[in-house]
Structure formats: structure tokens, C-alpha cells
Amino acid sequence: MTDALLPAAPQPLEKENDGYFRKGCNPLAQTGRSKLQNQRAALNQQILKAVRMRTGAENLLKVATNSKVREQVRLELSFVNSDLQMLKEELEGLNISVGVYQNTEEAFTIPLIPLGLKETKDVDFSVVLKDFILEHYSEDGYLYEDEIADLMDLRQACRTPSRDEAGVELLMTYFIQLGFVESRFFPPTRQMGLLFTWYDSLTGVPVSQQNLLLEKASVLFNTGALYTQIGTRCDRQTQAGLESAIDAFQRAAGVLNYLKETFTHTPSYDMSPAMLSVLVKMMLAQAQESVFEKIGLPGIRNEFFMLVGVAQEAAQVGEVYQQLHAAMSQAPVKENIPYSWASLACVKAHHYAALAHYFTAILLIDHQVKPGTDLDHQEKCLSQLYDHMPEGLTPLATLKNDQQRRQLGKSHLCRAMAHHEESVREASLCKKLRSIEVLQKVLCAAQERSRLTYARHQEDDDLLNLMDAPSVVAKTEQEVDIILPQFSKLTVTDFFQKLGPLSVFSANKRWTPPRSIRFTAEEGDLGFTLRGNAPVQVHFLDPYCSASVAGAREGDYIVSIQLVDCKWLTVSEVMKLLKSFGEDEIEMKVVSLLDSTSSMHNKSATYSVGMQKTYSMICLAIDDDDKTDKTKKISKKLSFLSWGTNKNRQKSASTLCLPSVGAARPQVKKKLPSPFSLLNPDSSLY
């Protein structure tokens, strides 16, 4: 993808021969989706170049005093703006290229809209994290080369996730891992010098920031976008496929809504609260559309109660798309939402409103009161179909009078044809929608069906006798709602757990460098007790004991004993280890917690190329106190397989001096649950 380093010899780790890797897709695979995403990446680079040229021309125009120079600059600026507009239209064309995301089976259904993945640039964590490990944790950063490489491999794999649940799990794993990384290496009082750059998925404008909030927000956005691609890929000709599509769109809405409420001031158009609100509405509307398709999939029988339900379901879909179109037409979303998306929402609003009137017309025109008919139930359903009956009509009288039913039914057909005409007209006004052949076929077929039905019942005096048909009340049997992301169900191992329990060894706490304490147990008495749970602390220290004389203090954390790493050991385990040496000299390394500096807001200038000043704002990162589960579990190291087997083993030279004494730590690993405290739900980009 953008600035991606292609592997020298990629080895296919394919899953079920479908061309997808277990952890990330092969970027060399020439699938329709990968080609589209590669085009998006190339467009992002062209937009970046044009924006920089425009910024330079505007700056020159401000300082130039020569009239000829200013005139030349204005001319060049007009060309650059024209190029930018063309690039924007080309990017919009990619955003409405829904065909490659749909199910491969030919189906006579209206296409759904997926979101494209945000692109990013490569980030090298190696030097910065090694330096911080040495400076803050007083350990040799080169001992953590594998962990840093795992982190970089995981990020690289997240740039090409597979379009299935494995891809979603990959993105969510990286998001949770970022919570650990943020707590380990990003103190609230300073910048780390890492610049994260992501491209707006709708405008192509790059946004850069020096903290992890933009990174975490963008990964969440891509998680929601991946759910939309999964939803559009489902086979909508089967019940199971439609159920999966409904679930995927609800989960996409949940992730995007969580992003909107958690990262409240993102410096990117596609992740602004207003835009995210519209995207959530769009996902729920597409989920509701899938509900309607699920109800009609087995076939719609010409039966009174079924037609009432189908008509109200269609009215529900038309209503949510009408609300979506209204939201897309409001500023500031209107300026950045693809015009084709707003047009398609308007087309679907009229199309499904037309279907609601068509099915209502059928149930009225073809209805017959037969012996044994439950008129009371039918009367109740017909009364609930409308907000109010037309003047002079009552539900029961209409059911019994064939002429009244036929006249009211033809009125609904007239409204259906009016909505059909409007949907076809709206689709013809948008160049992108005119190119979607299946959409044109569906709209024309529905319009022709209503026209033929009306033609069979048309009478000469209809223009004089037909009344205005009332609107159908929107109602659904399956109300769709957002499904929030369930991070707690995904167990993720902290790559850097060797540094110690996160509740103590985090970036927002400071300690003294490790001190070596040499002492002996006198007659089996250590001279102190222990407390705490991984890592343990020295407690009730005898001021005259050997350990105290050697420099131990109450409250010290024990990090190692005779080169054995003790940061994850419990009180009983440490005590057993100490007593195992008998009266031999014991070398114990301890650290003392310094007074934590008061938490300061992390102010970092946001670099946002070519964006309005309202989006070039100061970013505020607020770190909550980290909480971790005190229970320990030993597990094997997770393997994150990228599209290449070669890991990012950059051995960049550290800018800090290495410690004179460094001992390798035992590979003791602890599996941590993914606590929401690490996700920092109150974090915001401000």
C-alpha cells in the first residue's frame, strides 16, 4: 500500500486456498479489492503533492509584491486547484466503486455501499522504543528487538487485513496492543518523536500526529470499514447471508459510534463527529434494507397480513434512507460526503417508498372478503397501516366495499409510480449511479411493474375520482441497532510484558535505576517481610539487618534475585527463592518508585496538510491510571504472521549509552486480558 516495503520473497501462507493470509492479505495479490485500494494509495500521493503545491503557491502569493509575479502565481494556483478538483472526483469514483465489494454471485439486488480502508505510512518503532527502554526502564533495548519487530509486523499486517472475521480480529488485536504500547512507552509529559500519518479515506488529505491517538482512531475506523466490506460481500440470496450482512452492518455502526464517542476531536474529516454520525446512519440503513430483503427472500404471497407487513417494512427502509439523505445534505458533511452516496440514499428513499405503496395497493385491489375471514383482525391491521384514513373512509367499510378498495388501491399505485419516477430521475442525474447497471435494471423493473398493474385497473374517470393516498406507517419486525465492539472477548498478550506488570512498570511512573543489594540471611532470618503481588515489595525492614545495611529500603520493588527475574513472581515464590540460598550471600536488585510528577496535558501540534484551521488543532492526550489483572497466566508467545516471513529486524544504533551491566531476563510471559482501562475510553483528540 502507501510507502509499503514489498517482501523480497513472499511465501504464501494461504488459508483455504482463497488467497488470503492468516494475518494480513498478500499486497501483491491482484484481486479487485487490492487493485482498488492500490489506486486509492496512488491517488493519496497525488493529492498530497497537489496540496503541497497549492500551499506553496498561497504562501508565495502572500509575500510577493511584484504584480507580474502575483499574476503568475494566481494562474498557477488556478491550475493546481483544478487538478485537486479532478483528483477529488477520481477518489469519489473509487468510493462509489461498489461492484468489486459485492458478492460474486449475480443477483438482482441494489448494491450496498462499503467504506474504503484508510491508508498510512510506515513507522519505525525500533530506535525510539529501544532508547525509552534504556532510559526509563534501565534495561538494554536490544533485548527487546523481537518484541519491537513483532509490533511492526503486526502493524504492517493491519494495512492489508483479510475481508473476514480473521481480518477484524487482526485489527482489534493491534488496537488493544496499542493500549499496552501507549501505557508502556508514551508518558503524558512529553513527545516520543514518532510521527503517525494517515490519509483521509474521503478526501485523501494526510494528517500526521506525534501520539497514538490518531493511530488508534484510524485502526478503529478501518475496523468499521472492514465490517462494511464483509457485509457487502455476503450472499444476499440466502437467509444465512442476509443474517450475516445485518450483523456486519450493525457491528460496523457500533465500531464507528464507539469511535465517535471515544475520540471526540479527530483532526480528519472522515473521523469527525458529524461525518461519523452520518456513517453510522448509513450502516444502520443498509442493515434495515437487508432485513427487508430477508423477509421477501422466500417470496411474497398475495395474502392480506403478509402484504401489510411487507408494505410497512418497505416504508421503514424508505424512511431511514430519507433521514440519511437529509443528514448527508447538512453542512459540514455535505462538502465532503461523496455526491454519489447522497444520490443513492435519495434513490433508495423513493424506491422503497414506492414499494410500500405498491404492496399496499396490491392488498387493497386483490383483497376479497371470504367466509370465515377474520374481519376484526383485518380492520385493526388496516387502521394501523395509516396514521389516518382518507376522508369519508373507515377501515371496516373499505374492506367490505370493493369499489372503495379499488379506488384507494389505484391511488396508492399513482403514488408508487410518482416515487418510481423520482428514483429513476435521481439516479440519472448522477454519473456514477448511471454506470451501475444492476441499479438501473432494478429501478426500471420496479417502475414497469407498478405501471403495468395500474394499466390493468385504469379507468377513464380516474383523474376525477382518485383521492390522495395516505402515507404508509413505517414499522419493522426486526429493529436494527448498533452492536458495540466487544474488546473484552479478545485475549491479547502484551508484547512487552517482560518489562513487568503494567500496573507498576508503565510510562507514567518513574523509578531509581536498579540497585544491587548483597546480604545474607542470619540464622534463616532475612530481616524483612514481603508484601504485594508481582512485583513484591520490601516491607517491615529491620534497620540493623544485613539487607538494610547494604542499602535496601522499605517499599523497594524486587526485580531480580541472583539474575532470576522476579517482576512477575508472587510473595510466596520470592520467599521460597530467597530461602533456597540458605546462609549464602544473596544478590538482589531493587528499584524505588520516585514521586510521580503531576499529570500534565500532552500538547502536540497536529500537522494537517491543506486542511482548514479548525482541524489543525492542539491534540490533548489524557492518560488514565492503568489497571491490570493481578492474576498471572503463562502462555506461549503469539505469532503474528505478516505477508512476508522476514521480520522487521532493524538494528538501528541507540542514541543512548548502554548500561555497563545487563543480564538477560528469563522468558516468563503473562497473558493479559484486554482491559478497557488500557484502551483509555476517555481519550480524545482535541
Side-chain angles (χ1 to χ4, degrees):
M1 314 314 287
T2 307
D3 296 342
L5 296 176
L6 299 181
Q11 299 182 9
L13 300 174
E14 297 183 356
K15 180 174 133 182
E16 296 180 0
N17 298 320
D18 61 359
Y20 289 107
F21 283 79
R22 206 177 314 162
K23 292 297 182 181
C25 294
N26 183 355
L28 299 178
Q30 294 299 304
T31 63
R33 188 178 66 121
S34 65
K35 289 179 181 178
L36 200 65
Q37 199 68 30
N38 286 332
Q39 293 176 28
R40 183 189 301 276
L43 268 180
N44 287 336
Q45 294 299 316
Q46 295 179 46
I47 291 174
L48 174 59
K49 181 179 179 180
V51 167
R52 285 175 174 171
M53 291 179 63
R54 185 180 67 177
T55 303
E58 290 174 345
N59 292 336
L60 181 58
L61 189 63
K62 291 179 182 178
V63 299
T65 56
N66 187 291
S67 59
K68 291 185 178 180
V69 174
R70 292 177 63 85
E71 187 65 27
Q72 184 67 25
V73 172
R74 288 194 183 96
L75 181 61
E76 293 293 337
L77 195 57
S78 65
F79 281 114
V80 173
N81 285 329
S82 177
D83 289 342
L84 269 175
Q85 183 61 31
M86 293 177 63
L87 291 173
K88 182 180 178 181
E89 292 177 359
E90 192 173 348
L91 183 61
E92 180 183 339
L94 294 183
N95 286 326
I96 197 57
S97 298
V98 296
V100 299
Y101 293 100
Q102 310 300 313
N103 187 266
T104 55
E105 300 293 333
E106 292 186 5
F108 197 65
T109 53
I110 299 180
L112 301 173
I113 299 177
L115 298 179
L117 300 181
K118 292 171 68 71
E119 291 287 337
T120 184
K121 288 185 176 182
D122 283 333
V123 176
D124 188 356
F125 290 96
S126 57
V127 174
V128 172
L129 296 192
K130 287 177 184 177
D131 287 349
F132 191 81
I133 289 172
L134 177 58
E135 173 195 350
H136 190 77
Y137 295 99
S138 300
E139 294 193 35
D140 189 347
Y142 285 94
L143 298 176
Y144 292 84
E145 281 188 338
D146 287 346
E147 287 78 3
I148 296 174
D150 284 341
L151 177 63
M152 295 174 65
D153 286 341
L154 177 58
R155 186 182 193 272
Q156 186 68 22
C158 285
R159 299 174 69 174
T160 56
S162 57
R163 190 161 37 132
D164 51 24
E165 287 298 328
V168 172
E169 182 179 341
L170 176 66
L171 290 173
M172 294 180 68
T173 297
Y174 180 55
F175 177 75
I176 297 173
Q177 192 67 236
L178 285 176
F180 295 128
V181 172
E182 184 177 28
S183 299
R184 295 282 191 190
F185 302 108
F186 286 78
T189 55
R190 77 176 198 191
Q191 295 296 333
M192 293 299 296
L194 287 172
L195 191 65
F196 300 94
T197 301
W198 287 83
Y199 293 87
D200 192 297
S201 66
L202 301 179
T203 65
V205 176
V207 177
S208 298
Q209 194 165 286
Q210 291 194 44
N211 59 43
L212 280 178
L213 297 182
L214 177 63
E215 180 90 349
K216 294 166 71 176
S218 299
V219 173
L220 273 182
F221 183 92
N222 277 359
T223 304
L226 194 59
Y227 269 126
T228 68
Q229 295 181 14
I230 293 173
T232 55
R233 189 191 188 192
C234 294
D235 185 2
R236 291 155 61 196
Q237 299 302 304
T238 64
Q239 287 284 346
L242 285 169
E243 288 285 357
S244 299
I246 295 169
D247 180 74
F249 285 120
Q250 287 179 298
R251 292 185 184 278
V255 172
L256 296 175
N257 189 70
Y258 178 81
L259 172 59
K260 182 190 70 172
E261 295 181 351
T262 306
F263 301 88
T264 54
H265 293 83
T266 50
S268 182
Y269 286 120
D270 56 355
M271 296 191 292
S272 64
M275 182 63 73
L276 289 174
S277 296
V278 169
L279 294 180
V280 169
K281 289 180 182 293
M282 185 169 74
M283 296 309 118
L284 292 178
Q286 295 188 139
Q288 195 69 60
E289 183 178 4
S290 299
V291 170
F292 173 79
E293 292 178 350
K294 187 183 71 169
I295 292 175
L297 183 63
I300 300 174
R301 301 188 308 276
N302 193 353
E303 190 268 328
F304 183 86
F305 298 111
M306 183 172 192
L307 289 174
V308 169
V310 171
Q312 291 190 310
E313 286 285 351
Q316 176 75 15
V317 179
E319 183 176 284
V320 294
Y321 272 113
Q322 183 180 10
Q323 295 171 357
L324 174 62
H325 180 257
M328 287 179 170
S329 303
Q330 301 295 323
V333 174
K334 183 180 179 180
E335 305 300 325
N336 299 293
I337 202 80
Y339 172 71
S340 49
W341 288 8
S343 298
L344 186 58
C346 184
V347 167
K348 289 189 176 185
H350 286 293
H351 174 70
Y352 285 102
L355 293 184
H357 286 288
Y358 171 78
F359 289 119
T360 302
I362 295 301
L363 75 89
L364 289 170
I365 293 175
D366 295 347
H367 177 70
Q368 294 180 357
V369 179
K370 299 178 180 179
T373 300
D374 189 354
L375 274 179
D376 291 338
H377 191 193
Q378 290 185 351
E379 179 188 8
K380 182 179 179 181
C381 286
L382 186 61
S383 64
Q384 293 176 350
L385 190 62
Y386 305 123
D387 282 333
H388 61 278
M389 290 291 293
E391 185 177 354
L393 298 181
T394 61
L396 184 59
T398 301
L399 289 173
K400 293 181 177 181
N401 191 313
D402 291 344
Q403 182 65 22
Q404 286 185 2
R405 280 191 290 101
R406 187 173 291 105
Q407 291 297 100
L408 182 57
K410 287 191 289 185
S411 299
H412 280 288
L413 283 176
C414 288
R415 285 201 63 178
M417 289 189 294
H419 279 295
H420 282 309
E421 291 175 2
E422 191 64 21
S423 66
V424 172
R425 187 186 71 85
E426 285 288 341
S428 66
L429 293 177
C430 179
K431 178 181 178 181
K432 304 299 180 183
L433 297 186
R434 288 200 302 268
S435 64
I436 303 178
E437 185 177 355
V438 65
L439 175 63
Q440 299 295 329
K441 289 182 178 179
V442 170
L443 297 180
C444 292
Q447 182 184 29
E448 183 67 11
R449 182 178 59 182
S450 295
R451 188 189 66 80
L452 291 176
T453 304
Y454 179 75
R456 290 199 303 269
H457 301 88
Q458 186 177 11
E459 298 177 3
D460 294 337
D461 58 350
D462 281 348
L463 291 177
L464 298 176
N465 296 334
L466 291 183
M467 63 193 78
D468 290 332
S471 298
V472 179
V473 173
K475 185 179 179 182
T476 179
E477 295 180 0
Q478 182 178 344
E479 192 75 34
V480 298
D481 200 0
I482 62 175
I483 299 178
L484 292 175
Q486 299 175 330
F487 299 107
S488 58
K489 290 189 175 181
L490 190 63
T491 303
V492 178
T493 301
D494 180 8
F495 284 154
F496 300 92
Q497 57 184 344
K498 286 194 303 183
L499 291 172
L502 193 55
S503 58
V504 176
F505 297 99
S506 61
N508 61 354
K509 293 184 179 180
R510 300 185 303 120
W511 315 268
T512 61
R515 307 191 314 277
S516 182
I517 308 297
R518 295 179 179 273
F519 68 98
T520 57
E522 301 174 358
E523 299 181 356
D525 183 12
L526 296 172
F528 57 86
T529 60
L530 303 176
R531 69 173 180 179
N533 184 17
V536 299
Q537 290 178 276
V538 175
H539 191 50
F540 291 134
L541 178 65
D542 184 353
Y544 301 105
C545 70
S546 175
S548 179
V549 173
R553 297 193 295 266
E554 286 193 11
D556 282 347
Y557 288 96
I558 300 176
V559 295
S560 70
I561 298 174
Q562 297 289 81
L563 302 183
V564 177
D565 194 328
C566 299
K567 292 192 289 288
W568 285 103
L569 300 185
T570 62
V571 170
S572 59
E573 291 171 336
V574 173
M575 187 62 69
K576 182 179 180 181
L577 180 61
L578 287 171
K579 290 184 176 180
S580 66
F581 295 102
E583 295 185 357
D584 295 337
E585 185 180 61
I586 304 172
E587 181 182 6
M588 179 175 70
K589 287 189 177 181
V590 299
V591 294
S592 299
L593 184 65
L594 299 176
D595 292 336
S596 299
T597 56
S598 58
S599 297
M600 298 174 60
H601 292 318
N602 186 13
K603 297 182 179 180
S604 61
T606 301
Y607 171 66
S608 178
V609 180
M611 301 190 72
Q612 300 177 4
K613 292 183 179 179
T614 54
Y615 284 88
S616 297
M617 55 188 68
I618 301 300
C619 300
L620 178 64
I622 302 176
D623 253 334
D624 290 340
D625 290 338
D626 302 303
K627 300 178 181 178
T628 57
D629 192 350
K630 293 183 178 180
T631 60
K632 296 187 309 171
K633 295 180 182 178
I634 306 300
S635 67
K636 293 184 178 180
K637 179 179 179 181
L638 290 181
S639 174
F640 291 96
L641 300 178
S642 183
W643 42 260
T645 57
N646 295 330
K647 291 193 174 183
N648 298 300
R649 309 295 192 201
Q650 294 89 344
K651 301 190 180 217
S652 304
S654 173
T655 58
L656 298 177
C657 298
L658 295 177
S660 57
V661 178
R665 302 295 188 262
Q667 299 294 323
V668 180
K669 305 229 170 183
K670 177 181 178 182
K671 211 171 208 181
L672 296 175
S674 51
F676 273 92
S677 58
L678 298 178
L679 301 181
N680 201 0
D682 297 327
S683 299
S684 62
L685 300 177
Y686 182 72

